[in-house]
Every structure is written in structure tokens, then in C-alpha cells.
Amino acid sequence: MASSAPAAGTPEHGMPGNMGDVRRGNLALVMGRIAHSKAGTHLTRAQIAAATGLTKASVSSLVLDLLDAGIVREVGLNPQGERGRPGVGLELDPANGVMGMEVNVDYISAGVTDLAGNLLLQETVEQDNRTASPVAVTAALAGLAAGLRASAEAQGVRVLGGGLAVPGLVDDKTGTVITAPNLGWNNETLDLHALLPDVRLGTTLFNEANAAALAELRYRPAGRADFLFVSGEVGVGGGLVIGSELFTGPHGHAGELGHVVVEPDGAACSCGGRGCLETVAGQDAIFAAAGISPRRQANRQASAGPSRSESLDQLLSLITGGDADALAAVVRAGHFLGVAVASSVRLLNISSVVLGGHFALLGEWIMPALTESLATYAPGKVLPGNISLSAVGQAGALLGAAGSVVTSLVEAPHRLYS
């Protein structure tokens, strides 16, 4: 990959405000204009100069850096808004991609997207990760990622970096899972490099619900600026979007909706508390109440019973067939979800909720109980029309993790060749 050298006498590093810093800032400005242009619109150098206030000469020099780095390409002639001879349009090079990965309690998943966010490849493998060590789980994920990376490269797409989403509290700076109760992981520093060896942007760790919330923000056709995303898996997670930005709190751990207490004298939770939302609305709780026993792995021996996906299919079959226990389990989950959401929206002054995971899958039956509960405990705060189902489905966490890597590249494109 070609790289751009600084001008003679220009320090590459130094005090804020030096020429190297200014150029890096301008490079991000130009990259952002190209990345965020409307679909089907290919801005020219002249249009970027007019939009940013930079000189045409500066824009041409910066675009040359991006072309040399291979993250932008020229596409034909663009007559839109141009006087005289049309200019050459610019777009993110589709020969580049990033990988989103997810570890959840009962599966691992990975997918490759291009820089525009289009999902090119995806694969999910069901496995019970709560009895496996972090080393074993990441090794399995590394194998899955290697296969997808090879497939992407066979299609002419190079993977620049990746993001990994896990259902727990994380420290992205050190690659540490602080706690993931449903996995049984505590203070586990993951070997992120092993997941995607020798990629320029490395691999970044994310909380699963936060990543999925970011995917909703990006992919919803007419998304709101403020919403609470609710992730339904074995555990229950939450992601807060305020002013079109993910809000994670001072320590990065805001949004733990699954551990909001809804039954003070309720069942023990994996977090060590009692009566948390996920003890009544998580997958395990719903399956148990419906009389379904999913297959689990223990000491390398699989127990009898359906897999997780088969269990969800079985639950849907029971519900549509009018099974009283299954219907009661889902209604109970929706009721207590409303209790937790009611407290959250009052505290945060948010009026929109997006349901993901099994809450979206069960939306037809969850929604009436949820809206009734909200009307009881937070009347007028969340109207039925402001409760929606996920726009991205099961792929939300890996799409959000991948999209965040793209965002970091757009904000600092010099990372590819500095």
C-alpha cells in the first residue's frame, strides 16, 4: 500500500496545531464528505472544496493521499452541480471491507461489510459458550473469521480491521471483558489480534447491545435521534442513543437494562442480584416458563433437547398454536419489560423504544403486553407508535461493530498509512 509522506520540514508529530495535525484534520474532513455523500452521488474535488472551504489544490492533494491509500476511488465523470467540464466523482473503494464479529451465549457469528455498510458475507455457528473458556471461544471465532476473510479476498475485498461484540461490560482500550455474567467471564483480556492477524486497523471490542444500537441508528430508514434499544438474547441488554449519538456514561457502561430490578423478591440473576429483568424476560426464562428445555453443553457432553434456534422455532409454534403456557410466558416477559422500560424512559426522558433479538421475533405477542405495561407505569411517555422492531435483525451487533470501525477510519484515515 502506498503511503503519503509529509511535506519537507513538516513534523509528523508534535504540539497540537502543527501542520501535520492540520493536514490530518483536513484529510478526515475530505474523507467524511466522501463517506457521507448521498447514495448515488459522487462528489468531485471541486464540490468538496466548496463544501469544506478548503482550496481546490489542498483538496486535490488530500484526495491523492486517499487514492494512494486505496480507500477512495475515482468513478467516471460527475456533471451534477458543475460548470463547464464535468469533474471526476469520488467514492469509498468497494474493494475494502471490515469484519464484524459477535460472541453470544449460544453462538458465534461474523460478517464482512464494505465501507458503505453493505453486508457481503455472514456466517453463524451455534455453540454453548458458557461452559467454554475465552481462549477456546475466541479460537473458534478466529477460525470462522479466517474462512470469511479468505472468501472476501477471493471476491477482491481486503479486510482492513474488525470489531467484536460481546454481551458484557468491556474496556475497549485494553480489550478486556470486565464482566459477562451469562458467559461466566470476569476480567478476561482477549487476544483480539488473533481474531484478525495483520490487519491495518486492528480489532476493537464492543458491548453487544451498544453495537446493535449503533446499527439501528445507521440502518433505520427514518430513525429518531433519541431511543432506547433493547437487545433480547439469553440475557437482556440495552443501548442508549441520545442526539444521534451512543450514550455510554462516564465509565462506558450505561444501558444495562437487563439488570434493572423488576421483581425485588424474584429469582437469582447471573449478575449476583435478584429479580432482574432478564430473570423473567431473557430467553432462558421464557423457555423455562413455556416448558422448553434447550440443549446445553457441559463437560464437552451435549444434553438432549433442541438447539437455541430450534427452541425459538418451537416457542413460535406453541404460541401460534395457542399453547397457554407459551403465551403466558411471552405476556409475562412483555409486562416486566414494560416495567423496566417505564423506569428507564422516565429517568432519561426518552420516548422511543426499539426491540431487538427475541423481543423483535416475538413482537406480535410481546407488544400488547409491553404497551399495556407502559400505559400503566409510564402513561403518555412512550406511545405505541414509538415502539418499533429492529431494522437489522440478528445481524445488528456485528453490523454495529463493523460500522464503528468504518467510522473510526473516516474520522482518522491517516491510520492506514501513518
Side-chain angles (χ1 to χ4, degrees), residues 27-394:
L27 192 67
L29 187 62
V30 171
M31 179 75 168
R33 286 289 174 175
I34 297 170
H36 299 138
S37 59
K38 293 181 180 179
T41 300
H42 301 116
L43 299 180
T44 66
R45 291 164 174 81
Q47 289 171 328
I48 294 171
T52 60
L54 299 174
T55 67
K56 290 183 180 180
S58 293
V59 170
S60 293
S61 175
L62 295 164
V63 167
L64 182 60
D65 281 357
L66 297 174
L67 291 169
D68 285 346
I71 50 178
V72 165
R73 73 172 183 176
E74 295 177 324
V75 284
L77 298 176
N78 181 9
Q80 301 173 18
E82 295 281 334
R83 291 185 177 182
R85 183 179 178 182
V88 176
L90 299 162
E91 70 173 4
L92 299 180
D93 193 334
N96 295 305
V98 293
M99 187 172 297
M101 296 166 283
E102 180 184 3
V103 169
N104 218 300
V105 175
D106 52 348
Y107 64 86
I108 56 174
S109 185
V112 177
T113 75
D114 61 20
L115 299 186
N118 300 305
L119 185 59
L120 307 177
L121 299 162
Q122 183 187 2
E123 187 173 350
T124 299
V125 175
E126 288 196 10
Q127 60 181 51
D128 193 337
N129 294 319
R130 76 184 92 196
T131 60
S133 70
V135 172
V137 173
T138 53
L141 183 58
L144 181 62
L148 284 176
R149 186 177 180 182
S151 296
E153 289 173 351
Q155 296 179 22
V157 178
R158 62 172 179 167
V159 174
L160 301 178
L164 169 62
V166 299
L169 304 183
V170 304
D171 181 345
D172 60 339
K173 295 180 177 60
T174 63
T176 299
V177 178
I178 298 170
T179 180
N182 288 310
L183 287 172
W185 295 2
N186 290 288
N187 294 316
E188 297 285 353
T189 299
L190 306 182
D191 186 358
L192 299 177
H193 173 76
L195 292 174
L196 287 175
D198 304 319
V199 290
R200 296 301 302 274
L201 299 178
T203 300
T204 305
L205 189 61
F206 298 92
N207 168 268
E208 169 263 333
N210 285 343
L214 287 172
E216 292 298 325
L217 182 64
R218 178 172 187 176
Y219 290 92
R220 294 185 72 74
R224 293 177 174 270
D226 310 295
F227 62 85
L228 170 64
F229 175 78
V230 184
S231 169
E233 299 284 348
V234 171
V236 176
L240 299 172
V241 173
I242 300 176
S244 295
E245 298 283 344
L246 182 68
F247 176 78
T248 59
H251 302 294
H253 302 152
E256 286 292 290
L257 188 72
H259 299 291
V260 170
V261 176
V262 294
E263 279 192 311
D265 298 321
C269 181
S270 61
C271 73
R274 301 193 70 86
C276 297
L277 174 62
E278 71 176 44
T279 66
V280 288
Q283 280 183 20
D284 281 348
I286 295 175
F287 289 154
I292 299 170
S293 300
R295 181 169 63 244
R296 293 186 180 181
Q297 186 94 7
N299 299 321
R300 300 185 179 180
Q301 297 296 318
S303 65
S307 68
R308 288 281 168 182
S309 60
E310 291 168 343
S311 296
L312 284 170
D313 289 342
Q314 184 178 342
L315 178 64
L316 286 170
S317 179
L318 289 172
I319 292 171
T320 55
D323 182 87
D325 289 341
L327 286 167
V330 172
V331 168
R332 183 169 183 259
H335 169 77
F336 283 109
L337 176 60
V339 173
V341 170
S343 299
S344 300
V345 297
R346 284 190 181 278
L347 182 65
L348 300 167
N349 193 30
I350 288 177
S351 59
S352 294
V353 178
V354 180
L355 303 180
H358 66 257
F359 295 127
L361 185 67
L362 300 171
E364 180 181 343
W365 302 277
I366 285 275
M367 200 76 79
L370 171 60
T371 54
E372 181 181 347
S373 184
L374 283 169
T376 300
Y377 300 111
K381 292 297 294 182
V382 181
L383 301 178
N386 288 343
I387 305 173
S388 57
L389 305 183
S390 169
V392 293
Q394 194 69 29

